[in-house]
Protein backbone atom coordinates (compact mmCIF):
# COMPACT_ATOMS: atom_id res chain seq x y z
CA UNK A 1 0.00 0.00 0.00
CA UNK A 2 1.30 3.48 -0.84
CA UNK A 3 1.67 5.78 2.17
CA UNK A 4 1.91 9.55 1.97
CA UNK A 5 5.40 10.99 2.52
CA UNK A 6 5.64 13.71 5.16
CA UNK A 7 3.77 16.88 4.17
CA UNK A 8 2.03 15.28 1.17
CA UNK A 9 -1.19 15.16 3.14
CA UNK A 10 -0.86 18.84 3.97
CA UNK A 11 0.01 19.63 0.38
CA UNK A 12 -3.25 18.03 -0.75
CA UNK A 13 -5.23 20.04 1.77
CA UNK A 14 -3.80 23.41 0.75
CA UNK A 15 -4.28 25.45 -2.40
CA UNK A 16 -0.82 26.94 -1.78
CA UNK A 17 2.42 24.94 -1.80
CA UNK A 18 4.36 23.11 0.87
CA UNK A 19 8.07 23.26 0.12
CA UNK A 20 10.29 20.57 1.65
CA UNK A 21 14.05 19.89 1.64
CA UNK A 22 13.63 17.58 -1.34
CA UNK A 23 12.20 20.33 -3.56
CA UNK A 24 14.48 22.06 -6.05
CA UNK A 25 13.46 25.51 -4.77
CA UNK A 26 14.02 24.61 -1.10
CA UNK A 27 17.03 26.90 -0.68
CA UNK A 28 15.37 29.81 -2.47
CA UNK A 29 12.19 29.40 -0.41
CA UNK A 30 13.90 29.27 2.99
CA UNK A 31 16.21 32.19 2.23
CA UNK A 32 15.50 35.24 4.39
CA UNK A 33 16.58 38.89 4.33
CA UNK A 34 19.77 38.26 6.28
CA UNK A 35 21.84 36.03 3.99
CA UNK A 36 23.96 35.01 6.99
CA UNK A 37 20.91 33.18 8.39
CA UNK A 38 20.60 29.49 7.56
CA UNK A 39 16.95 28.81 8.35
CA UNK A 40 16.19 25.08 8.41
CA UNK A 41 12.56 24.38 9.31
CA UNK A 42 10.99 20.96 8.74
CA UNK A 43 9.11 22.45 5.77
CA UNK A 44 7.73 25.77 4.57
CA UNK A 45 3.98 26.12 3.98
CA UNK A 46 2.98 28.95 1.63
CA UNK A 47 -0.73 29.51 2.30
CA UNK A 48 -2.86 31.37 -0.22
CA UNK A 49 -5.72 32.08 2.19
CA UNK A 50 -6.94 31.57 5.74
CA UNK A 51 -8.18 28.05 4.94
CA UNK A 52 -4.66 27.06 3.95
CA UNK A 53 -3.39 28.49 7.24
CA UNK A 54 -5.97 26.43 9.15
CA UNK A 55 -4.83 23.29 7.31
CA UNK A 56 -1.18 24.03 8.12
CA UNK A 57 -1.87 24.69 11.81
CA UNK A 58 -3.98 21.53 12.17
CA UNK A 59 -1.42 19.42 10.32
CA UNK A 60 1.43 20.71 12.51
CA UNK A 61 -0.53 20.04 15.70
CA UNK A 62 -1.42 16.52 14.62
CA UNK A 63 2.20 15.85 13.59
CA UNK A 64 3.80 17.12 16.81
CA UNK A 65 5.41 19.97 14.94
CA UNK A 66 5.47 23.54 16.11
CA UNK A 67 4.46 26.50 13.94
CA UNK A 68 6.59 29.56 13.23
CA UNK A 69 4.67 32.31 11.42
CA UNK A 70 6.71 34.44 9.05
CA UNK A 71 5.91 37.26 6.63
CA UNK A 72 9.10 38.54 4.93
CA UNK A 73 11.89 36.97 6.98
CA UNK A 74 13.44 40.25 8.14
CA UNK A 75 13.81 38.98 11.69
CA UNK A 76 14.37 35.25 11.21
CA UNK A 77 17.67 34.89 13.09
CA UNK A 78 15.81 35.19 16.37
CA UNK A 79 13.99 31.86 15.93
CA UNK A 80 17.05 29.70 16.56
CA UNK A 81 16.79 26.04 15.50
CA UNK A 82 13.57 25.11 13.66
CA UNK A 83 13.98 21.38 12.94
CA UNK A 84 10.74 20.51 14.75
CA UNK A 85 8.86 23.42 13.22
CA UNK A 86 6.66 24.09 10.21
CA UNK A 87 7.36 27.58 8.92
CA UNK A 88 4.06 29.11 7.84
CA UNK A 89 5.19 31.84 5.49
CA UNK A 90 2.38 34.19 4.53
CA UNK A 91 4.24 35.96 1.70
CA UNK A 92 1.38 35.19 -0.72
CA UNK A 93 -1.26 37.01 1.34
CA UNK A 94 -0.94 40.24 -0.61
CA UNK A 95 -4.33 41.93 -0.44
CA UNK A 96 -4.23 45.72 0.11
CA UNK A 97 -7.32 47.81 0.66
CA UNK A 98 -7.11 51.51 1.45
CA UNK A 99 -10.15 53.44 2.65
CA UNK A 100 -8.75 56.95 2.42
CA UNK A 101 -11.80 58.86 3.74
CA UNK A 102 -11.96 56.58 6.79
CA UNK A 103 -8.14 56.70 7.13
CA UNK A 104 -8.14 52.94 7.48
CA UNK A 105 -6.02 50.28 5.75
CA UNK A 106 -6.40 46.51 5.67
CA UNK A 107 -3.57 44.37 4.36
CA UNK A 108 -2.86 40.70 3.97
CA UNK A 109 -0.15 39.56 6.37
CA UNK A 110 2.47 39.18 3.62
CA UNK A 111 2.32 42.82 2.54
CA UNK A 112 5.40 45.02 2.77
CA UNK A 113 5.27 48.72 3.55
CA UNK A 114 6.32 49.50 -0.03
CA UNK A 115 2.90 48.27 -1.21
CA UNK A 116 1.08 50.73 1.06
CA UNK A 117 3.09 53.91 1.60
CA UNK A 118 3.17 55.31 -1.97
CA UNK A 119 -0.60 54.99 -2.50
CA UNK A 120 -1.36 56.47 0.91
CA UNK A 121 0.87 59.39 0.03
CA UNK A 122 -1.27 60.09 -3.06
CA UNK A 123 -4.14 60.66 -0.63
CA UNK A 124 -2.03 62.91 1.63
CA UNK A 125 -1.86 60.13 4.23
CA UNK A 126 0.97 58.36 5.99
CA UNK A 127 1.22 55.10 7.90
CA UNK A 128 3.56 54.63 10.83
CA UNK A 129 6.11 52.61 8.83
CA UNK A 130 9.80 52.52 9.64
CA UNK A 131 13.04 53.05 7.79
CA UNK A 132 12.73 50.29 5.19
CA UNK A 133 9.92 49.90 2.61
CA UNK A 134 10.94 46.23 2.32
CA UNK A 135 9.92 45.34 5.90
CA UNK A 136 6.59 43.56 6.39
CA UNK A 137 3.59 45.26 7.96
CA UNK A 138 2.89 42.12 10.03
CA UNK A 139 6.15 41.52 11.90
CA UNK A 140 6.81 45.25 12.23
CA UNK A 141 3.37 45.88 13.76
CA UNK A 142 3.34 42.80 16.01
CA UNK A 143 6.73 43.76 17.49
CA UNK A 144 5.95 47.46 18.01
CA UNK A 145 6.93 49.42 14.92
CA UNK A 146 8.91 52.61 15.42
CA UNK A 147 9.28 54.98 12.47
CA UNK A 148 9.49 58.60 11.40
CA UNK A 149 6.16 59.69 12.85
CA UNK A 150 6.50 57.82 16.16
CA UNK A 151 7.13 60.84 18.37
CA UNK A 152 3.76 62.26 17.25
CA UNK A 153 1.69 59.07 16.90
CA UNK A 154 3.55 56.40 18.87
CA UNK A 155 4.21 52.82 17.85
CA UNK A 156 2.44 51.28 14.87
CA UNK A 157 1.20 48.43 17.11
CA UNK A 158 -1.09 50.93 18.82
CA UNK A 159 -2.56 52.17 15.54
CA UNK A 160 -3.63 48.61 14.70
CA UNK A 161 -7.42 48.41 14.90
CA UNK A 162 -8.07 44.73 14.15
CA UNK A 163 -6.14 41.53 13.51
CA UNK A 164 -7.32 38.44 11.66
CA UNK A 165 -5.56 35.23 12.63
CA UNK A 166 -5.72 31.47 12.97
CA UNK A 167 -5.32 30.31 16.55
CA UNK A 168 -3.84 27.08 17.94
CA UNK A 169 -7.23 25.31 17.85
CA UNK A 170 -7.42 25.92 14.08
CA UNK A 171 -10.00 28.70 14.38
CA UNK A 172 -9.99 31.75 12.09
CA UNK A 173 -10.96 34.81 14.09
CA UNK A 174 -10.92 38.59 13.91
CA UNK A 175 -9.93 40.32 17.13
CA UNK A 176 -10.16 43.97 18.08
CA UNK A 177 -10.83 46.11 21.13
CA UNK A 178 -14.31 44.55 21.55
CA UNK A 179 -13.72 40.98 20.38
CA UNK A 180 -11.25 38.82 22.32
CA UNK A 181 -9.58 41.96 23.70
CA UNK A 182 -6.94 40.02 25.68
CA UNK A 183 -5.72 38.33 22.53
CA UNK A 184 -5.83 41.66 20.66
CA UNK A 185 -3.73 43.21 23.45
CA UNK A 186 -1.16 40.39 23.46
CA UNK A 187 -0.71 40.33 19.69
CA UNK A 188 0.30 44.00 19.64
CA UNK A 189 3.82 43.48 20.99
CA UNK A 190 3.76 39.71 21.53
CA UNK A 191 4.78 38.88 17.95
CA UNK A 192 3.95 35.50 16.41
CA UNK A 193 3.35 33.64 19.66
CA UNK A 194 -0.45 33.60 19.56
CA UNK A 195 -1.37 32.47 16.07
CA UNK A 196 -0.75 32.97 12.38
CA UNK A 197 -1.97 36.41 11.40
CA UNK A 198 -3.66 36.51 8.01
CA UNK A 199 -4.61 40.22 7.82
CA UNK A 200 -4.09 43.44 9.75
CA UNK A 201 -6.17 46.58 9.81
CA UNK A 202 -4.73 49.89 10.99
CA UNK A 203 -5.28 53.63 11.14
CA UNK A 204 -3.26 56.12 9.08
CA UNK A 205 -2.75 59.85 9.45
CA UNK A 206 -3.22 63.01 7.40
CA UNK A 207 -0.03 64.85 6.53
CA UNK A 208 -0.44 68.44 5.43
CA UNK A 209 3.02 69.91 5.86
CA UNK A 210 6.05 67.67 6.03
CA UNK A 211 9.58 69.04 6.07
CA UNK A 212 12.09 66.21 5.88
CA UNK A 213 15.50 65.25 4.60
CA UNK A 214 19.10 64.41 5.36
CA UNK A 215 22.23 66.47 6.02
CA UNK A 216 25.47 64.73 5.05
CA UNK A 217 28.75 65.67 6.71
CA UNK A 218 32.21 64.21 6.05
CA UNK A 219 32.81 61.14 8.22
CA UNK A 220 35.78 62.89 9.84
CA UNK A 221 33.37 65.36 11.48
CA UNK A 222 31.42 62.59 13.26
CA UNK A 223 32.25 63.78 16.79
CA UNK A 224 31.27 67.38 16.09
CA UNK A 225 28.01 66.36 14.38
CA UNK A 226 26.95 63.86 17.03
CA UNK A 227 27.71 66.33 19.83
CA UNK A 228 25.59 69.03 18.16
CA UNK A 229 22.79 66.55 17.42
CA UNK A 230 22.70 65.01 20.92
CA UNK A 231 22.52 68.48 22.48
CA UNK A 232 19.75 69.46 20.05
CA UNK A 233 17.34 66.53 20.32
CA UNK A 234 16.14 67.11 23.91
CA UNK A 235 14.95 70.56 22.78
CA UNK A 236 12.86 69.34 19.82
CA UNK A 237 9.04 69.22 19.90
CA UNK A 238 7.14 65.95 19.40
CA UNK A 239 6.34 66.99 15.81
CA UNK A 240 10.01 66.56 14.93
CA UNK A 241 11.70 63.16 14.73
CA UNK A 242 15.44 63.26 14.21
CA UNK A 243 17.99 60.48 13.71
CA UNK A 244 21.77 60.65 13.41
CA UNK A 245 23.93 58.00 11.76
CA UNK A 246 27.44 57.10 10.88
CA UNK A 247 27.14 55.56 7.43
CA UNK A 248 29.80 53.78 5.39
CA UNK A 249 28.07 53.09 2.10
CA UNK A 250 29.06 50.26 -0.19
CA UNK A 251 29.69 50.98 -3.84
CA UNK A 252 26.28 49.44 -4.67
CA UNK A 253 23.51 50.52 -7.07
CA UNK A 254 20.89 50.87 -4.30
CA UNK A 255 22.93 53.72 -2.78
CA UNK A 256 22.08 57.13 -4.31
CA UNK A 257 24.82 58.21 -6.76
CA UNK A 258 26.23 61.21 -4.87
CA UNK A 259 26.97 59.21 -1.71
CA UNK A 260 27.74 55.78 -3.21
CA UNK A 261 30.91 54.28 -1.73
CA UNK A 262 31.37 57.23 0.67
CA UNK A 263 31.40 57.52 4.47
CA UNK A 264 29.39 60.17 6.28
CA UNK A 265 27.99 61.44 9.54
CA UNK A 266 24.36 62.25 8.76
CA UNK A 267 21.44 63.91 10.49
CA UNK A 268 17.90 63.08 9.41
CA UNK A 269 14.69 64.83 10.31
CA UNK A 270 10.96 64.55 9.65
CA UNK A 271 8.88 67.47 10.88
CA UNK A 272 5.13 68.07 10.80
CA UNK A 273 5.23 71.77 10.05
CA UNK A 274 6.52 74.48 7.77
CA UNK A 275 9.96 74.77 6.23
CA UNK A 276 10.68 77.94 8.22
CA UNK A 277 9.87 76.27 11.53
CA UNK A 278 11.74 73.09 10.59
CA UNK A 279 14.82 75.06 9.56
CA UNK A 280 14.74 77.04 12.80
CA UNK A 281 14.59 73.84 14.85
CA UNK A 282 17.54 72.26 13.03
CA UNK A 283 19.68 75.41 12.90
CA UNK A 284 22.37 74.23 15.38
CA UNK A 285 23.16 71.23 13.17
CA UNK A 286 22.88 73.07 9.85
CA UNK A 287 25.22 75.81 11.11
CA UNK A 288 27.96 73.16 11.03
CA UNK A 289 27.78 73.41 7.22
CA UNK A 290 26.68 70.06 5.73
CA UNK A 291 28.39 68.93 2.53
CA UNK A 292 24.94 67.99 1.17
CA UNK A 293 21.48 68.89 2.45
CA UNK A 294 18.33 67.28 1.01
CA UNK A 295 15.78 68.86 3.39
CA UNK A 296 12.66 70.12 1.63
CA UNK A 297 8.87 70.11 1.90
CA UNK A 298 7.99 66.56 0.78
CA UNK A 299 5.11 64.16 0.22
CA UNK A 300 4.80 61.40 2.85
CA UNK A 301 6.12 58.86 0.30
CA UNK A 302 9.55 60.47 0.64
CA UNK A 303 9.86 58.96 4.12
CA UNK A 304 9.64 55.40 2.84
CA UNK A 305 13.25 55.17 1.73
CA UNK A 306 14.77 58.33 3.21
CA UNK A 307 17.01 56.21 5.47
CA UNK A 308 18.56 54.53 2.40
CA UNK A 309 18.22 51.04 3.93
CA UNK A 310 19.34 48.20 1.65
CA UNK A 311 16.36 47.01 -0.44
CA UNK A 312 17.76 43.52 -1.18
CA UNK A 313 18.86 40.64 1.05
CA UNK A 314 22.44 40.81 2.31
CA UNK A 315 24.48 39.15 5.06
CA UNK A 316 24.64 41.26 8.22
CA UNK A 317 25.38 41.25 11.95
CA UNK A 318 23.53 43.67 14.17
CA UNK A 319 23.39 45.10 17.67
CA UNK A 320 20.92 47.44 19.32
CA UNK A 321 20.02 49.11 22.61
CA UNK A 322 17.64 51.62 24.11
CA UNK A 323 19.56 54.38 25.91
CA UNK A 324 18.39 56.81 28.56
CA UNK A 325 20.83 59.48 27.39
CA UNK A 326 24.08 59.93 25.53
CA UNK A 327 25.97 62.69 27.34
CA UNK A 328 29.13 64.35 26.01
CA UNK A 329 31.38 61.57 27.33
CA UNK A 330 29.06 58.92 25.85
CA UNK A 331 29.28 60.50 22.40
CA UNK A 332 33.08 60.58 22.74
CA UNK A 333 33.15 56.90 23.70
CA UNK A 334 30.86 55.95 20.81
CA UNK A 335 32.99 57.88 18.30
CA UNK A 336 36.18 56.36 19.73
CA UNK A 337 34.65 52.88 19.34
CA UNK A 338 33.19 53.12 15.82
CA UNK A 339 33.99 56.60 14.47
CA UNK A 340 36.41 57.71 11.77
CA UNK A 341 39.63 57.06 13.69
CA UNK A 342 38.56 53.60 14.89
CA UNK A 343 38.98 51.68 11.64
CA UNK A 344 35.38 50.43 12.06
CA UNK A 345 33.90 48.53 9.12
CA UNK A 346 30.30 48.93 10.38
CA UNK A 347 28.00 50.03 7.58
CA UNK A 348 25.59 51.83 9.90
CA UNK A 349 25.50 53.15 13.45
CA UNK A 350 22.13 54.82 13.91
CA UNK A 351 20.72 56.79 16.81
CA UNK A 352 17.01 57.56 16.81
CA UNK A 353 15.36 60.08 19.04
CA UNK A 354 12.62 58.57 21.24
CA UNK A 355 10.25 60.31 23.64
CA UNK A 356 7.06 62.18 22.76
CA UNK A 357 4.20 59.79 22.06
CA UNK A 358 6.63 56.84 22.34
CA UNK A 359 6.79 57.47 26.07
CA UNK A 360 3.05 57.97 26.69
CA UNK A 361 0.75 55.02 27.36
CA UNK A 362 -2.59 55.57 25.61
CA UNK A 363 -5.86 53.90 26.63
CA UNK A 364 -6.39 50.64 24.76
CA UNK A 365 -2.70 50.22 23.89
CA UNK A 366 -1.27 46.75 23.31
CA UNK A 367 1.43 44.85 25.18
CA UNK A 368 4.08 47.02 23.54
CA UNK A 369 2.55 50.29 24.63
CA UNK A 370 5.66 52.48 24.87
CA UNK A 371 9.41 52.35 24.47
CA UNK A 372 11.64 53.31 27.38
CA UNK A 373 14.60 55.64 26.99
CA UNK A 374 15.56 58.79 25.12
CA UNK A 375 17.44 57.20 22.23
CA UNK A 376 17.41 53.97 20.24
CA UNK A 377 20.69 52.65 18.89
CA UNK A 378 20.96 50.14 16.09
CA UNK A 379 24.18 49.25 14.30
CA UNK A 380 25.11 46.70 11.69
CA UNK A 381 28.00 45.46 9.65
CA UNK A 382 27.97 43.53 6.39
CA UNK A 383 30.69 40.88 6.50
CA UNK A 384 32.17 39.80 3.17
CA UNK A 385 34.25 36.91 4.49
CA UNK A 386 35.35 35.29 7.74
CA UNK A 387 37.95 37.94 8.50
CA UNK A 388 35.54 40.85 8.07
CA UNK A 389 32.92 38.90 10.05
CA UNK A 390 35.31 38.82 13.02
CA UNK A 391 36.02 42.54 12.59
CA UNK A 392 32.31 43.37 12.40
CA UNK A 393 31.65 41.40 15.57
CA UNK A 394 34.55 43.11 17.35
CA UNK A 395 33.28 46.60 16.45
CA UNK A 396 29.70 45.73 17.46
CA UNK A 397 31.01 44.54 20.84
CA UNK A 398 33.12 47.63 21.22
CA UNK A 399 30.04 49.76 20.51
CA UNK A 400 28.02 47.78 23.07
CA UNK A 401 30.68 48.50 25.68
CA UNK A 402 30.76 52.21 24.81
CA UNK A 403 27.02 52.70 25.29
CA UNK A 404 26.66 50.11 28.10
CA UNK A 405 26.45 52.70 30.89
CA UNK A 406 23.40 54.34 29.26
CA UNK A 407 21.46 51.17 28.29
CA UNK A 408 17.93 51.02 29.74
CA UNK A 409 16.40 48.27 27.67
CA UNK A 410 15.98 46.54 24.36
CA UNK A 411 13.54 46.90 21.50
CA UNK A 412 12.31 43.51 20.26
CA UNK A 413 12.13 44.50 16.57
CA UNK A 414 15.82 45.40 16.55
CA UNK A 415 16.94 42.26 18.42
CA UNK A 416 17.72 39.66 15.79
CA UNK A 417 19.15 36.78 17.78
CA UNK A 418 17.62 34.11 20.03
CA UNK A 419 17.06 35.65 23.44
CA UNK A 420 14.92 35.53 26.57
CA UNK A 421 11.93 37.64 25.48
CA UNK A 422 11.10 38.63 29.07
CA UNK A 423 13.80 41.30 28.73
CA UNK A 424 11.50 43.30 26.45
CA UNK A 425 8.70 43.73 28.99
CA UNK A 426 8.10 44.80 32.57
CA UNK A 427 7.14 42.02 34.98
CA UNK A 428 3.41 42.72 34.90
CA UNK A 429 3.22 42.79 31.09
CA UNK A 430 5.32 39.61 30.80
CA UNK A 431 3.10 37.78 33.28
CA UNK A 432 -0.05 38.87 31.41
CA UNK A 433 1.42 37.84 28.05
CA UNK A 434 2.14 34.37 29.47
CA UNK A 435 -1.43 34.15 30.87
CA UNK A 436 -2.92 35.01 27.47
CA UNK A 437 -0.56 32.49 25.85
CA UNK A 438 -1.75 29.81 28.30
CA UNK A 439 -5.36 30.65 27.43
CA UNK A 440 -4.96 30.60 23.63
CA UNK A 441 -1.99 28.32 23.05
CA UNK A 442 -1.52 26.11 26.13
CA UNK A 443 0.56 23.51 24.28
CA UNK A 444 2.95 26.20 22.98
CA UNK A 445 2.31 25.37 19.33
CA UNK A 446 3.37 28.80 18.08
CA UNK A 447 6.87 30.08 18.36
CA UNK A 448 7.31 33.70 17.48
CA UNK A 449 10.77 35.02 16.73
CA UNK A 450 10.92 36.08 20.41
CA UNK A 451 9.30 33.21 22.25
CA UNK A 452 6.68 33.71 24.97
CA UNK A 453 5.99 30.47 26.88
CA UNK A 454 2.55 29.81 28.40
CA UNK A 455 2.11 30.52 32.12
CA UNK A 456 2.69 27.39 34.26
C1 LIG B 1 16.46 46.86 6.98
C2 LIG B 1 15.58 46.85 8.19
C3 LIG B 1 15.00 48.04 8.63
C4 LIG B 1 14.16 48.05 9.75
N1 LIG B 1 13.60 49.24 10.19
C5 LIG B 1 12.79 49.23 11.27
C6 LIG B 1 12.21 50.44 11.76
O1 LIG B 1 12.43 51.52 11.22
N2 LIG B 1 11.42 50.37 12.85
C7 LIG B 1 11.13 49.19 13.47
O2 LIG B 1 10.37 49.19 14.43
N3 LIG B 1 11.66 48.03 13.02
C8 LIG B 1 12.49 48.04 11.96
N4 LIG B 1 13.07 46.88 11.54
C9 LIG B 1 12.83 45.67 12.30
C10 LIG B 1 11.58 44.97 11.78
O3 LIG B 1 10.44 45.69 12.16
C11 LIG B 1 11.53 43.58 12.41
O4 LIG B 1 12.61 42.86 11.91
C12 LIG B 1 10.23 42.88 12.11
O5 LIG B 1 10.15 41.75 12.93
C13 LIG B 1 10.16 42.49 10.66
O6 LIG B 1 8.89 42.03 10.34
P1 LIG B 1 8.68 41.21 8.99
O7 LIG B 1 7.28 40.81 8.92
O8 LIG B 1 9.27 41.99 7.88
O9 LIG B 1 9.69 39.99 9.23
P2 LIG B 1 9.44 38.46 9.62
O10 LIG B 1 10.81 37.93 9.91
O11 LIG B 1 8.67 37.78 8.58
O12 LIG B 1 8.58 38.52 10.93
C14 LIG B 1 9.16 38.80 12.18
C15 LIG B 1 8.32 38.12 13.24
O13 LIG B 1 7.03 38.69 13.26
C16 LIG B 1 6.06 37.67 13.54
N5 LIG B 1 5.22 37.50 12.36
C17 LIG B 1 5.47 37.81 11.08
N6 LIG B 1 4.43 37.49 10.30
C18 LIG B 1 3.50 36.94 11.11
C19 LIG B 1 2.21 36.39 10.91
N7 LIG B 1 1.65 36.36 9.71
N8 LIG B 1 1.54 35.92 11.98
C20 LIG B 1 2.08 35.95 13.22
N9 LIG B 1 3.29 36.45 13.45
C21 LIG B 1 4.01 36.93 12.42
C22 LIG B 1 6.83 36.39 13.83
O14 LIG B 1 7.11 36.32 15.21
C23 LIG B 1 8.09 36.64 13.04
O15 LIG B 1 9.18 35.88 13.51
C24 LIG B 1 13.92 46.85 10.44
C25 LIG B 1 14.51 45.65 10.01
C26 LIG B 1 15.34 45.65 8.91
C27 LIG B 1 15.97 44.35 8.48
Amino acid sequence: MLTATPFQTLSRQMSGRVVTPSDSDWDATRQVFNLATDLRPAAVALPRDANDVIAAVEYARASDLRVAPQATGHNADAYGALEDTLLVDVRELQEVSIDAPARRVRVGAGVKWQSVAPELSEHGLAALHGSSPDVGVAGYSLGGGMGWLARTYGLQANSVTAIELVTADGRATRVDADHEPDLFWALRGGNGNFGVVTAIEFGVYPVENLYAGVMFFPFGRAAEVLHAWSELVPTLPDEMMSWASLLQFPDAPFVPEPVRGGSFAVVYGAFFGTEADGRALLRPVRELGPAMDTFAMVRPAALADMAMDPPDPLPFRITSALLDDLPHAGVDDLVAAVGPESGSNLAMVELRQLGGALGRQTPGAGARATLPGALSLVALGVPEDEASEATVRAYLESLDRAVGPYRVGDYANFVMEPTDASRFFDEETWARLREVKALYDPSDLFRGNHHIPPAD
Side-chain angles (χ1 to χ4, degrees):
M1 190 180 83
L2 284 176
T3 52
T5 55
F7 300 107
Q8 265 185 4
T9 316
L10 175 58
S11 238
R12 286 192 207 110
Q13 289 165 346
M14 285 177 52
S15 58
R17 288 185 65 211
V18 181
V19 184
T20 69
S22 56
D23 285 308
S24 59
D25 57 349
W26 171 243
D27 285 339
T29 307
R30 69 189 181 86
Q31 184 201 297
V32 290
F33 185 72
N34 187 348
L35 297 179
T37 305
D38 184 23
L39 206 63
R40 291 189 177 274
V44 182
L46 299 170
R48 291 219 177 108
D49 55 29
N51 285 334
D52 278 0
V53 175
I54 292 172
V57 165
E58 290 188 334
Y59 179 88
R61 206 181 48 229
S63 314
D64 282 334
L65 290 167
R66 299 184 69 199
V67 171
Q70 180 165 282
T72 71
H74 274 75
N75 196 339
D77 251 353
Y79 284 127
L82 288 181
E83 281 83 3
D84 63 345
T85 301
L86 176 64
L87 193 71
V88 179
D89 184 319
V90 298
R91 67 182 77 168
E92 293 188 19
L93 305 186
Q94 285 296 330
E95 190 192 336
V96 175
S97 122
I98 294 178
D99 183 345
R103 295 178 189 160
R104 203 49 77 85
V105 176
R106 180 181 176 281
V107 294
V111 168
K112 296 180 175 185
W113 283 114
Q114 66 200 14
S115 304
V116 184
E119 191 182 335
L120 281 176
S121 185
E122 296 292 309
H123 296 287
L125 297 168
L128 303 186
H129 63 75
S131 58
S132 167
D134 193 52
V135 160
V137 175
Y140 176 89
S141 304
L142 300 175
M146 187 254 294
W148 291 110
L149 308 182
R151 280 170 44 82
T152 306
Y153 292 118
L155 293 166
Q156 155 70 4
N158 299 312
S159 281
V160 171
T161 48
I163 296 176
E164 293 164 37
L165 75 158
V166 174
T167 50
D169 53 1
R171 186 172 56 98
T173 183
R174 179 183 159 96
V175 299
D176 59 23
D178 300 319
H179 302 93
E180 306 188 75
D182 287 335
L183 182 54
F184 183 54
W185 171 85
L187 282 161
R188 291 172 298 146
N191 271 306
N193 289 290
F194 301 91
V196 180
V197 172
T198 52
I200 298 195
E201 189 185 274
F202 53 94
V204 293
Y205 299 92
V207 178
E208 278 174 20
N209 292 315
L210 182 62
Y211 175 69
V214 195
M215 289 184 237
F216 293 81
F217 297 87
F219 196 36
R221 299 185 68 188
E224 202 187 344
V225 171
L226 289 187
H227 279 303
W229 179 81
S230 61
E231 282 161 24
L232 174 70
V233 285
T235 69
L236 296 175
D238 295 358
E239 292 75 23
M240 172 73 88
M241 169 65 113
S242 183
W243 303 355
S245 292
L246 306 183
L247 296 176
Q248 303 198 64
F249 289 113
D251 187 5
F254 81 85
V255 181
E257 184 80 59
V259 297
R260 194 174 293 166
S263 297
F264 300 89
V266 309
V267 171
Y268 305 90
F271 174 59
F272 278 124
T274 63
E275 175 158 3
D277 289 345
R279 288 187 77 84
L281 288 167
L282 293 173
R283 189 179 312 121
V285 172
R286 188 169 276 117
E287 275 174 354
L288 299 177
M292 191 166 65
D293 184 344
T294 70
F295 271 86
M297 296 304 288
V298 294
R299 309 271 299 171
L303 298 179
D305 56 4
M306 192 166 83
M308 299 166 285
D309 281 356
D312 298 318
L314 74 177
F316 65 91
R317 298 286 172 210
I318 189 166
T319 192
S320 66
L322 298 175
L323 312 175
D324 62 352
D325 190 13
L326 200 58
H328 201 88
V331 170
D332 285 341
D333 289 346
L334 182 149
V335 172
V338 293
E341 306 293 317
S342 68
S344 159
N345 63 346
L346 299 186
M348 180 189 87
V349 177
E350 180 182 272
L351 290 161
R352 299 185 182 188
Q353 180 187 13
L354 301 178
L358 284 168
R360 291 191 289 268
Q361 170 126 14
T362 49
R368 172 53 58 217
T370 58
L371 279 183
L375 297 171
S376 146
L377 170 76
V378 62
L380 63 84
V382 184
E384 285 149 13
D385 50 34
E386 265 179 42
S388 70
E389 162 102 30
T391 316
V392 163
R393 284 186 189 277
Y395 280 107
L396 292 174
E397 282 166 19
S398 169
L399 177 62
D400 284 340
R401 280 194 298 278
V403 301
Y406 316 104
R407 180 187 276 271
V408 286
D410 296 282
Y411 172 41
N413 273 9
F414 285 162
V415 175
M416 300 193 183
E417 66 205 3
T419 191
D420 175 355
S422 66
R423 75 194 248 214
F424 303 128
F425 302 98
D426 59 41
E427 259 178 55
E428 195 186 328
T429 306
W430 180 245
R432 187 174 167 201
L433 280 167
R434 293 193 60 193
E435 292 295 339
V436 179
K437 175 80 172 173
L439 209 58
Y440 281 92
D441 183 16
S443 66
D444 206 9
L445 178 71
F446 295 113
R447 44 182 302 179
N449 50 348
H450 299 303
H451 180 231
I452 300 173
D456 304 324

